Amino acid sequence: QLSHELALQFAAKCFTHLEIAHFKDNFKILADHQEDVEYWKEETLCRFLALPDALKVGSVVYAMLTYLGAFPFPVLAPCIVDRQAMLKAVTILTGRYKTVLKKGNSDRNKLLFRSLAVFDRRTSVASPTPEKSPEHDLKVASGFKVDQPINDEEEEDDDDLALAALDALDAIEVFQHDEKRDRLINHAHIPAYNFERLIMLLLLLASLTPQDSIGQLSTDLSENQISALEASAKSIVAAFEPEGGGIRYVTFVKVMTAGTPYLFRALSPLFEHFLFSKQMDLHKHRTEIDAHQAQKALQRSPFQEVKGSEILNNGLLAQLSTSIELKATTDTTSSWFHSGLRMNRLYSTSSHGTSLSSFSRQVMSWRSSSLLILRGTCAGQTYVLGAYLPEQWKEAGSHTEESAEAHKTAVMFQIAPRHAIFRSNPYNRTTPLSHFSSKTGISLGCVIPASSRINASSQTPILGPVSLIIDEDISTVTFQHDGGAGTGAFLTDPLLEEAQSHGRGQDKKLEIDIDGMEVWGMSFADAGEDEVAAQQSRLAWEEAEAARRRGVNFGGDKDGARHLLEMAGLVGAGAGNRS
C-alpha cells in the first residue's frame, strides 16, 4: 500500500497531466497481459527504447527496472514491471523524484549500484568469485540469504532516498526492519561485463535529448563503431578496479563521486521518451520535426568524426563528458554536446609538423579555452592523455596570472588505457597550469624555477605530482602521476594512486613516444564575438607583417644596404652568432 501511495505522489507532483497521459498511453499500447496484470517484458522495453541488439544491454537495463520499480522496499525486488513500477523507475532515472523527496540525498549512486548489483553468497572478500561467463553475469541473482558482513567497511550508509520516501509517506518506522534485512546482503558487486555493456550504451547516447530519435543513434552499428565504444567502456571500467570480475560498492561510490559524476546522465533523456506518445501527438508537422531532430542527433552522434582530427571523435568527447562539465559564457554548466560547443582545430602534428614555432603560432594566439590531446605508446601500451584548459596558454616570461576560476575548472586526464581524471588544485596559486617555451617545450602542471624570471625561455620545468613535459621535438612526453611529489597545479587520482602504491597499474613516471598530438580551440555558439574569426584576423595580420618585413625595399642599392647592416653589426663577421 505504501509503495502504491508513493507512485501516486510521484504521478501527481513530478509530472504534468499531459505527461502522465502520454506515459499511460505508451505503457498500455505495448503491455502484455496476464489475468488482470498489465506488464512489460524485456523485449518490449528493448523495442520501445530502441536498444541495439549488438550491445547486449537489454537484460541489464531491464534488471535495473525490476529493482527501481520496488522502491523504496528492496525486499520486494525483483518486481513485476507493471505500470506502477515503471512509473517509479522513470521518476528516479529522469531525476523527477526531487520534487517529492526533498529531504533525500539528490545523489542516486547507492540506488543505482543496487539496481545493477548481483548478490551471491558464494562471493567473499577472502575468496574471489570464480570467472563466470557473460551470460551468467547477465542473470541477476536474488532471493537467498547471505552471510553477515565480514568487514564493517563494507556496510553501506543509510539509504537517504528510501528514508525520504517513507518520511514523505509518514511511514518512517517501517524502514528500520527493512534496513536490517537489506544489510544482510553484504557480498554485492556489479559484474564488470554488465557494467561495460551499460557504459557502451551511455556513451552511445551521450548526445541524446528527449526530442531525439533514439533509433537514429543506435541502429546499424558497425564492428569498428562497437569496438570504439568497447575500448572507451573498458577504460572507464578499469577505473572501478573490478575485484574477481565485480565492482564493489565502496569503489563504485569513490569513482562516481570524483571521477565520473556525469556517467549516468544519458539515462534521463532516454527515459524521458516515456513521456511522449506518438499516438497522442497533436502536432500536424511532426514528421518534419522528427526528421529535423534526427539530423541534429546524427550531427552529435559519437561516431561523427571531429573534422580534421586523427585522434579525436565524438566518442572520446562522450567519454570526457562523463567527467568534465563545460562552462560557456553564461553562469550555467552543461554537457559537451548541449553547450553550443564548437571545436576548432588549432594545431596537429599531422598537418603542422612537429615544430615548436608552428605550435606557438597556431596555439598561443588563441584566447579562449582549449583541449590538448595526444596519443602515444609506452612498453607496447597505448596511452591517450590530455588537458582541458579554460584560459589562454601561458608563454615563458608572461606576467599574466591565471584566474582563480581557471584553477578551479582546468583538468588533466588520461582516457586510455585507464580512465583517470586529475582535477585542478583550487588552492594552487604558484604553479602554472600550462607553460610554453621555444627552447624547453610544452608543459602542463610543472613547476617553473624562480630563476626563470632572468632567462624565462631556457629554464627546464620541474615535474609536479600530476604533470607532463613534451620535448622540443614533440616526439616524447614525460608523464608523472606521483602523490609523493608534493603539491602542484593538478590533484592525483586517488584510486590510481592507491593502485600504484600496491604495485598495480602503471608506473608513476612514464616516457611515452608520441604518435600524434592535437590542440583544439573551444568556442561556444552564444559567445558573442567569434573567437575563430578573431584568431584568423590575428594570424592574417602576423602573416602580412612578416611579409612586410621580408620585403623591405632598400632602393636597389644592395651593396650599400649590406654595408649599413654590417656597420650595425647585424650581418657579417660583427654579427657573431646572430641570425
Side-chain angles (χ1 to χ4, degrees):
Q1 181 61 24
L2 289 172
S3 181
H4 177 67
E5 289 181 14
L6 180 61
L8 292 178
Q9 285 205 31
F10 279 165
K13 299 180 180 180
C14 301
F15 303 96
T16 66
H17 294 299
L18 184 60
E19 286 175 330
I20 288 296
H22 280 269
F23 171 82
K24 289 180 177 179
D25 189 64
N26 275 326
F27 191 90
K28 186 175 183 64
I29 290 174
L30 298 176
D32 284 275
H33 299 77
Q34 186 169 339
E35 297 179 356
D36 296 332
V37 179
E38 288 185 335
Y39 66 97
W40 272 32
K41 296 186 295 187
E42 178 186 319
E43 62 186 50
T44 306
L45 177 73
C46 295
R47 187 169 70 251
F48 178 79
L49 293 180
L51 301 181
D53 294 336
L55 297 188
K56 301 178 182 178
V57 74
S59 298
V60 180
V61 178
Y62 190 76
M64 292 180 70
L65 297 190
T66 64
Y67 183 91
L68 297 175
F71 180 80
F73 301 106
V75 70
L76 300 179
C79 68
I80 297 172
V81 183
D82 57 13
R83 193 171 71 185
Q84 174 181 296
M86 183 69 82
L87 179 65
K88 287 192 289 184
V90 170
T91 307
I92 292 169
L93 293 174
T94 58
R96 301 286 190 101
Y97 64 88
K98 298 173 187 176
T99 306
V100 172
L101 309 184
K102 295 179 180 178
K103 294 183 180 179
N105 189 339
S106 60
D107 190 348
R108 302 172 296 172
N109 286 344
K110 183 175 184 180
L111 200 58
L112 290 172
F113 174 84
R114 286 176 169 169
S115 71
L116 290 165
V118 298
F119 307 97
D120 191 343
R121 63 178 178 175
R122 289 172 297 178
T123 305
S124 68
V125 176
S127 129
T129 305
E131 289 189 11
K132 305 183 183 75
S133 67
E135 290 73 18
H136 178 279
D137 282 345
L138 287 173
K139 297 177 181 178
V140 178
S142 60
F144 43 75
K145 187 176 179 180
V146 296
D147 300 331
Q148 291 289 344
I150 293 175
N151 188 334
D152 289 342
E153 189 178 56
E154 296 294 332
E155 293 193 13
E156 304 160 7
D157 54 355
D158 291 338
D159 195 331
D160 291 345
L161 282 179
L163 284 168
L166 293 169
D167 188 35
L169 296 170
D170 294 324
I172 196 68
E173 66 279 358
V174 306
F175 182 78
Q176 301 303 323
H177 176 65
D178 277 348
E179 181 185 22
K180 290 178 182 178
R181 295 186 64 176
D182 194 34
R183 284 182 181 272
L184 291 175
I185 306 176
N186 171 53
H187 305 307
H189 69 273
I190 301 175
Y193 180 83
N194 289 18
F195 199 40
E196 180 184 308
R197 311 319 286 184
L198 180 62
I199 291 176
M200 290 172 68
L201 176 68
L202 296 175
L203 294 177
L204 174 66
L205 302 181
S207 63
L208 187 71
T209 69
Q211 293 78 33
D212 287 339
S213 170
I214 307 174
Q216 290 289 338
L217 292 173
S218 60
T219 56
D220 299 325
L221 294 176
S222 69
E223 290 186 6
N224 289 339
Q225 292 169 339
I226 294 174
S227 296
L229 282 178
E230 192 170 21
S232 290
K234 285 182 180 296
S235 178
I236 294 176
V237 169
F240 288 84
E241 297 192 335
E243 299 177 17
I247 297 164
R248 308 291 290 183
Y249 173 72
V250 173
T251 306
F252 179 83
V253 171
K254 286 181 180 178
V255 178
M256 285 297 302
T257 302
T260 56
Y262 314 114
L263 179 62
F264 289 96
R265 175 178 266 162
L267 289 178
S268 180
L270 178 63
F271 281 87
E272 288 274 351
H273 282 76
F274 277 92
L275 307 179
F276 170 76
S277 170
K278 292 185 178 181
Q279 301 295 326
M280 296 179 62
D281 185 22
L282 303 179
H283 202 297
K284 295 180 179 179
H285 305 290
R286 190 70 211 181
T287 302
E288 291 81 358
I289 292 177
D290 282 345
H292 178 66
Q293 291 293 345
Q295 184 61 33
K296 291 177 65 177
L298 284 174
Q299 291 174 356
R300 296 191 307 270
S301 165
F303 303 117
Q304 182 70 37
E305 296 296 323
V306 178
K307 186 177 180 180
S309 176
E310 295 184 355
I311 304 175
L312 197 61
N313 56 42
N314 281 7
L316 291 182
L317 291 183
Q319 186 177 343
L320 289 174
S321 72
T322 66
S323 302
I324 306 170
E325 222 175 17
L326 296 181
K327 186 173 183 179
T329 54
T330 61
D331 292 331
T332 58
T333 56
S334 59
S335 76
W336 292 55
F337 297 99
H338 306 134
S339 59
L341 173 65
R342 296 171 177 171
M343 299 292 289
N344 313 286
R345 190 184 68 172
L346 304 179
Y347 169 83
S348 73
T349 52
S350 60
S351 298
H352 301 99
T354 57
S355 164
L356 286 180
S357 60
S358 178
F359 178 93
S360 174
R361 181 174 179 275
Q362 300 294 329
V363 176
M364 303 308 292
S365 59
W366 181 261
R367 297 179 181 175
S368 184
S369 55
S370 60
L371 182 77
L372 177 144
I373 188 165
L374 63 86
R375 182 175 58 207
T377 55
C378 177
Q381 179 68 64
T382 298
Y383 286 84
V384 180
L385 307 169
Y388 162 64
L389 301 173
E391 292 186 354
Q392 184 178 5
W393 281 70
K394 298 297 181 288
E395 195 163 3
S398 171
H399 299 289
T400 305
E401 295 292 333
E402 292 161 329
S403 69
E405 184 66 25
H407 281 282
K408 291 180 182 178
T409 56
V411 180
M412 277 184 64
F413 54 81
Q414 174 183 299
I415 52 180
R418 169 183 173 142
H419 188 90
I421 296 297
F422 318 110
R423 303 196 184 277
S424 53
N425 182 359
Y427 302 104
N428 167 61
R429 291 293 181 273
T430 56
T431 305
L433 300 171
S434 65
H435 181 265
F436 172 80
S437 167
S438 58
K439 293 186 178 180
T440 61
I442 305 160
S443 63
L444 297 172
C446 293
V447 177
I448 308 302
S451 59
S452 62
R453 297 171 185 172
I454 301 173
N455 190 2
S457 63
S458 61
Q459 293 297 320
T460 302
I462 301 172
L463 288 168
V466 179
S467 55
L468 61 81
I469 298 177
I470 301 169
D471 66 5
E472 59 272 18
D473 296 327
I474 312 185
S475 59
T476 305
V477 57
T478 303
F479 172 62
Q480 177 162 286
H481 179 268
D482 184 1
T487 59
F490 297 94
L491 303 173
T492 57
D493 182 298
L495 286 174
L496 177 57
E497 186 176 4
E498 182 181 347
Q500 289 174 326
S501 67
H502 289 86
R504 305 192 309 269
Q506 63 200 47
D507 294 335
K508 294 182 178 181
K509 187 175 180 180
L510 300 172
E511 297 286 339
I512 302 172
D513 295 327
I514 297 176
D515 298 328
M517 186 178 81
E518 299 174 353
V519 179
W520 292 81
M522 304 169 73
S523 58
F524 299 90
D526 59 350
E529 181 185 359
D530 190 344
E531 175 59 26
V532 178
Q535 195 211 29
Q536 288 176 346
S537 177
R538 290 191 292 270
L539 292 177
W541 181 87
E542 290 177 4
E543 289 180 358
E545 183 67 12
R548 186 188 65 80
R549 289 195 299 267
R550 287 194 302 268
V552 172
N553 188 353
F554 288 102
D557 185 3
K558 294 183 179 180
D559 292 336
R562 181 172 181 82
H563 182 63
L564 286 173
L565 293 175
E566 288 176 347
M567 290 174 61
L570 298 177
V571 299
N577 293 326
R578 293 184 189 178
S579 170

